[in-house]
Amino acid sequence: MLNFSQIFIEGMLLSIFFCIVIVGMLVYNPRLLLNDYPQSIQLSVPPKTSKETKLSKAIGAPFASLLMIAPFISTLYCDEISFMVSFLHPFLVFIIVSLVDLVVLDWLMFCFITPDFLIIPGTKGMKDYKNYQFHFIAFLKGTVVYGVLCIIVAGIRMLI
């Protein structure tokens, strides 16, 4: 049986961690997240340097791994072992993190407030900083990708 309070707590804790890391990267150098900006902004600046690419990967890989592995590990402590619970638990945790990302980081911070620290030099005033639809489409794509990953994780969980 799904434990919705556990799912909510895990989702919110991972969301806080996610927001801290993302905002930290943006404050340090918004170009570290250049691939997550709308294409018009990406095309108006030079590509990432090799140093920026290495740093993005050094931060991104362990960070993404934690976001994927933590909800899976918590399913090991579920009383009921079913494919549906093994799928829904990590998927719902991801949905919470993804909704916080969409509403708080993307729509509120990126589109509505647009603080100077997230503006890539040479792109100030570009209209795609206010592109709510871009972020919503990214949210939908991420949901599909994570849904597929959760199906795979649930299958692995059923084998354990």
Side-chain angles (χ1 to χ4, degrees):
M1 186 163 174
L2 287 172
N3 183 338
F4 289 104
S5 61
Q6 180 182 356
I7 289 168
F8 181 76
I9 290 168
E10 288 177 28
M12 292 312 293
L13 288 173
L14 284 172
S15 293
I16 291 167
F17 178 69
F18 181 83
C19 289
I20 289 169
V21 172
I22 296 299
V23 171
M25 289 175 74
L26 288 168
V27 168
Y28 178 75
N29 181 356
R31 289 178 49 82
L32 295 178
L33 295 168
L34 182 62
N35 298 342
D36 296 318
Y37 280 69
Q39 189 173 17
S40 65
I41 295 171
Q42 291 181 41
L43 294 174
S44 65
V45 296
K48 284 186 193 179
T49 64
S50 64
K51 182 181 176 184
E52 290 169 338
T53 300
K54 287 177 187 173
L55 187 54
S56 292
K57 288 179 182 176
I59 296 169
F63 178 58
S65 297
L66 174 68
L67 288 176
M68 286 190 268
I69 292 172
F72 170 72
I73 290 173
S74 69
T75 65
L76 297 174
Y77 300 101
C78 292
D79 294 334
E80 178 187 336
I81 301 173
S82 71
F83 182 83
M84 193 55 71
V85 169
S86 298
F87 165 75
L88 282 176
H89 183 96
F91 184 73
L92 292 174
V93 169
F94 168 77
I95 290 296
I96 292 170
V97 174
S98 194
L99 282 171
V100 168
D101 174 40
L102 175 67
V103 174
V104 175
L105 293 179
D106 294 341
W107 285 352
L108 180 64
M109 190 176 83
F110 193 93
C111 293
F112 186 72
I113 299 171
T114 320
D116 287 340
F117 67 81
L118 66 74
I119 296 175
I120 296 173
T123 64
K124 189 170 181 95
M126 290 187 73
K127 70 176 183 154
D128 269 345
Y129 279 107
K130 306 295 183 186
N131 188 342
Y132 290 84
Q133 181 180 351
F134 168 80
H135 297 286
F136 184 68
I137 291 169
F139 163 79
L140 293 176
K141 289 177 183 177
T143 300
V144 170
V145 168
Y146 203 77
V148 170
L149 287 173
C150 286
I151 289 170
I152 294 167
V153 164
I156 293 169
R157 174 65 182 101
M158 295 308 298
L159 295 173
I160 295 177

